[in-house]
Amino acid sequence: MKQTARDGARRTTANRRPRSWKNLGWVLFFLLPSAIPLFVFTLVPMVSSLWVSLHRWNLISPMEWVGLGNYTNLLTDPMTRRVFLHTLAYVAGYLPIVYAGGLLLALALNQKLKGRAFLRATYFLPVVTSWVVVALVWKWLLNPTNGLVNQLLGAVGLPEPGWWTDPAWALPAVILSSAWKDLGFVMVILLAGLQSVPGDYYEAAKVDGANAWQRFWRITLPLLSPSTFFVVVISLINGFQVFDQVYVMTGGGPAGSSQVVVGQIYDLTFRYGRAGEASALSWLLFALILVITVVQIRGQRKWVHYA
Amino acid sequence: MRDTGSLPARLALYAAVLVGAAIMLFPFLWTVITSITPEGSLADGPTLVVDDPTLGAYRTLVDALPIWRIVLNSLGVAIVSTALQLVTGSMAAYGFARLKFPLKNVVFGFYLATLMVPLQVLVVPLFIEMKTLNLQDTYFALLAPTIASAFGVFLLRQAVTAVPLELDEAATIDGAGHLRIFTTIVLPLIRPALATVAVFAFMGSWNSFLWPLVVIRSPEFMTLPLGLSTLQGQFTTQWDVVMAGSVVSIVPIAVVYLLAQRHIIAGVAHTGIK
């Protein structure tokens, strides 16, 4: 039998830790094309971001060491609390809407309906459209003076909100358009989850006399919990990073009423020349996302059931 | 998949999903209608039927922005970044799944770390990097953060691991090296995972906004989302022009979507299955 690389591999499974560098050429060949760009365009900026966050810097004049000054400044600045609260409010409004809507759609389109494929494709279309387009189109639809939505609301005698010109409605306007865009994504993930639920479970439950409502709560929802977990984790991570639609629809206004964390990072850097604080804020955001994600992964045992 | 019960229940279900579909499609239709409505009659409120449709908004758009160049920029950057991510990702996936080497877990941990860091943390230093290297307003700057994606590496590594080792062994006996095994055995077998990564890479690049916003200034290097957002600044009230721009940016992705719809939806669904 020939001496091959596989023999080396088999030996190493025996004592776990491979000691030889004889594969080095192949390792470099296969890994460098991804390792170099990840190093230069992710790891280096990551480390330098930490460095920048410890300085006062306007991107032009020399950096000035402030230690943790930027972090303590941010934590005492009421603007920080505002942008985090707006981001939280966005997530808190957006997540229940897309989950409930996506679940209803997934349940409906899991039935034997004519034109099911077409309907699924239709609901998914906004997902492939860019945030900027979605924000612009909805800004037009929600135009307070002559937008279609307010014309319709007016026609049936309902109040016409100022949407993106009214501080109270700017964030809801962003939530509404975001939910419209992402509904199809949630639907597809939940549909995939539904399709992996074995049909015999329902048959057995029917035999035992469970009604449709009980079957939904006792079978469908628990078996959907892995997909639900995925949707919640992804939506929270993306939700805390919301930027494009806010920037285009409201620009964080009116009067900062819809400014979110990433918008603040952008403004601090490119409008106010406070790159140090912007970097510190981005690390605070990252820390928050990390904590929330870890807590969810830890907590999943309590409610996520893998079939 | 289950049968719904009674006829009224089925009819109600049809009505609900059709109303929902209308809500999904209507904004697209409305975008097209607005783009061909004469500017003067926009203030009169909405009409579904345009009496005197005009392409004036599209003409204004062409004058305001190098729109064809911007469309080509978007397509070019999306295609190149997708191709790069497939090549770098599948190679790394093979490396991690099939090669044994010291410190593999450490290297893999480094990939894991880059996956967790959001773009927002990187934007400022990445911008400074590009500025220092004098790469602002270049295609390279647009591509740089998307040459390799740790997400792609993870997804593809899973797929390579699922390829039976016996196939490699049989090929090795036949005298094939890593390169032959990679290209003739592994790559064809991980095609579904490659398609999923391609979908995410293409959509990610096509819709990317924050990074182009930071690194691109001149219209010649803008991508569609960025070009569109500047249009809004120039024409705050010219909704017909803004909507014409939206139509131009929706059409290419809609065509790609309609052609590859099945794979795109399946690919997205695939990522949610544990």
Side-chain angles (χ1 to χ4, degrees):
Chain A
M1 203 186 283
K2 263 184 180 176
Q3 276 295 96
T4 62
R6 288 293 320 141
D7 292 328
R10 219 173 268 135
R11 192 185 61 232
T12 55
T13 40
N15 55 357
R16 296 277 309 173
R17 220 162 258 277
R19 273 165 298 179
S20 83
W21 288 102
K22 70 172 179 149
N23 265 335
L24 188 64
W26 283 117
V27 172
L28 294 179
F29 172 77
F30 279 108
L31 290 188
L32 283 186
S34 56
I36 291 174
L38 283 177
F39 183 80
V40 177
F41 302 121
T42 307
L43 206 67
V44 169
M46 209 170 121
V47 173
S48 74
S49 170
L50 264 180
W51 183 244
V52 171
S53 80
L54 301 173
H55 293 77
R56 182 177 298 134
W57 192 35
N58 61 5
L59 295 175
I60 300 155
S61 39
M63 290 196 204
E64 186 191 329
W65 176 266
V66 292
L68 293 175
N70 287 328
Y71 291 91
T72 50
N73 277 353
L74 284 173
L75 291 172
T76 51
D77 186 349
M79 194 60 201
T80 311
R81 190 184 308 162
R82 278 190 84 195
V83 296
F84 272 103
L85 277 179
H86 292 159
T87 309
L88 269 172
Y90 168 82
V91 173
Y94 160 89
L95 189 56
I97 299 178
V98 285
Y99 185 73
L103 180 60
L104 281 175
L105 272 177
L107 290 171
L109 294 186
N110 197 36
Q111 311 286 338
K112 286 178 185 155
L113 288 182
K114 282 209 178 78
R116 205 167 52 156
F118 167 78
L119 286 166
R120 283 180 191 175
T122 304
Y123 283 109
F124 197 77
L125 185 57
V127 179
V128 301
T129 314
S130 82
W131 278 112
V132 171
V133 172
V134 170
L136 283 171
V137 170
W138 276 91
K139 191 177 178 181
W140 170 228
L141 283 164
L142 295 174
N143 193 337
T145 47
N146 56 358
L148 185 73
V149 171
N150 275 4
Q151 303 266 357
L152 291 174
L153 289 174
V156 292
L158 287 168
E160 302 172 30
W163 298 116
W164 40 269
T165 54
D166 181 344
W169 284 99
L171 215 44
V174 173
I175 291 172
L176 200 67
S177 51
S178 303
W180 175 81
K181 175 171 161 51
D182 280 348
L183 207 58
F185 176 80
V186 177
M187 173 198 76
V188 164
I189 300 292
L190 294 180
L191 255 177
L194 278 178
Q195 278 160 5
S196 64
V197 175
D200 354 341
Y201 285 25
Y202 292 102
E203 297 308 320
K206 266 187 199 169
V207 172
D208 289 347
N211 62 32
W213 192 243
Q214 286 167 325
R215 292 198 298 270
F216 172 74
W217 282 105
R218 301 279 168 80
I219 301 176
T220 310
L221 265 191
L223 288 175
L224 265 186
S225 57
S227 313
T228 301
F229 179 67
F230 178 81
V231 165
V232 171
V233 170
I234 293 290
S235 300
L236 284 178
I237 290 176
N238 290 335
F240 278 103
Q241 300 176 8
V242 58
F243 172 72
D244 300 9
Q245 55 280 50
V246 178
Y247 181 88
V248 173
M249 256 185 123
T250 68
S257 62
S258 62
Q259 181 69 305
V260 288
V261 181
V262 180
Q264 183 73 358
I265 293 171
Y266 181 85
D267 282 356
L268 279 175
T269 313
F270 299 103
R271 280 179 63 185
Y272 310 127
R274 287 154 66 183
E277 275 173 282
S279 295
L281 185 57
S282 68
W283 281 102
L284 289 182
L285 175 67
F286 177 48
L288 179 72
I289 294 174
L290 196 65
V291 167
I292 289 176
T293 308
V294 168
V295 165
Q296 286 185 88
I297 290 171
R298 286 264 169 93
Q300 68 167 321
R301 259 181 230 146
K302 288 188 186 138
W303 63 278
V304 180
H305 310 273
Y306 292 95
Chain B
M1 206 184 308
R2 285 167 293 142
D3 281 311
T4 358
S6 57
L7 186 65
R10 287 191 71 77
L11 287 178
L13 185 63
Y14 271 112
V17 291
L18 285 175
V19 168
I23 294 173
M24 287 295 136
L25 285 179
F26 193 76
F28 292 105
L29 179 67
W30 190 240
T31 306
V32 176
I33 292 175
T34 306
S35 75
I36 55 167
T37 308
E39 200 207 330
S41 52
L42 276 179
D44 306 342
T47 37
L48 272 177
V49 185
V50 186
D51 296 329
D52 41 359
T54 166
L55 291 178
Y58 289 88
R59 259 175 247 125
T60 316
L61 177 70
V62 173
D63 293 339
L65 283 176
I67 193 72
W68 297 119
R69 171 126 188 206
I70 289 177
V71 172
L72 287 178
N73 287 349
S74 279
L75 272 176
V77 171
I79 290 170
V80 173
S81 98
T82 304
L84 285 173
Q85 278 186 44
L86 290 178
V87 172
T88 60
S90 58
M91 288 177 78
Y94 184 88
F96 282 120
R98 289 296 202 255
L99 298 174
K100 306 277 172 180
F101 55 94
L103 301 177
K104 185 153 95 170
N105 291 340
V106 176
V107 179
F108 201 61
F110 149 66
Y111 278 66
L112 199 104
T114 67
L115 181 71
M116 288 192 304
V117 180
L119 176 66
Q120 289 81 16
V121 173
L122 305 178
V123 150
V124 177
L126 209 49
F127 168 75
I128 298 158
E129 221 178 283
M130 294 297 152
K131 215 174 134 187
T132 319
L133 300 171
N134 222 352
L135 285 168
Q136 281 173 290
D137 273 337
T138 60
Y139 289 121
F140 182 79
L142 283 171
L143 283 170
T146 62
I147 296 173
S149 116
F151 167 75
V153 174
F154 275 105
L155 227 131
L156 294 170
R157 179 178 159 272
Q158 294 289 99
V160 177
T161 313
V163 174
L165 266 179
E166 287 74 19
L167 292 178
D168 295 32
E169 279 158 11
T172 311
I173 291 166
D174 289 345
H178 283 302
L179 199 56
R180 281 260 311 274
I181 295 175
F182 174 63
T183 52
T184 61
I185 296 174
V186 170
L187 280 186
L189 286 173
I190 62 168
R191 222 178 281 162
L194 288 172
T196 302
V197 172
V199 164
F200 277 94
F202 192 91
M203 271 168 46
S205 170
W206 184 266
N207 296 335
S208 155
F209 179 61
L210 180 59
W211 178 239
L213 175 70
V214 163
V215 85
I216 298 298
R217 286 284 167 272
S218 77
E220 291 87 80
F221 292 99
M222 282 182 180
T223 49
L224 274 165
L226 185 56
L228 267 182
S229 76
T230 64
L231 205 59
Q232 192 202 8
Q234 294 174 34
F235 305 98
T236 321
T237 48
Q238 288 198 43
W239 284 105
D240 53 335
V241 182
V242 174
M243 289 304 113
S246 301
V247 170
V248 171
S249 87
I250 291 168
V251 167
I253 192 78
V255 170
V256 171
Y257 174 61
L258 290 177
L259 291 177
Q261 180 236 108
R262 231 166 245 279
H263 304 285
I264 291 173
I265 296 183
V268 170
H270 177 78
T271 58
I273 303 170
K274 296 271 151 178

